[in-house]
Amino acid sequence: MKDGEKKKPKRSYTTTTLDSSGYIEGGGVRALPHNLWVDIKRNKVLYVCLTFILAFFVIFSFLPLVGLLMAFERYSPVKGFFGSQWVGLQNFETFFFRGLMWEG
């Protein structure tokens, strides 16, 4: 060490302090639920907008997958999506190779 330089104090990772905004500094993973809740309360409008975006994503990305499931079943509204008989590629074979596609 050169003359006149000060030693930097070592940072203690075991102490937790609450800053003026409510965040727990130095708390690590233990402070995550508290800090997340403080962040949600501080940015309510942002999280409301985020819920609308997530709802849009679920509605238009995941719900159409039910139709994909129906394409491989002999679908019956009485039995529902998971009770209908699984036929695999038979529906596509019927559509493409038995002339139904070429008639329309």
Side-chain angles (χ1 to χ4, degrees), residues 12 21 34 38 59 71 85 95 103:
S12 173
S21 64
H34 173 78
V38 169
I59 290 170
Q85 179 186 4
F95 183 71
E103 291 177 7

Side-chain angles (χ1 to χ4, degrees), residues 62-73 81 86 88 91-92:
F62 291 125
L63 290 182
L65 292 177
V66 175
L68 182 66
L69 176 68
M70 290 172 57
F72 295 98
E73 294 179 338
F81 296 114
W86 184 263
N91 291 338
F92 294 98

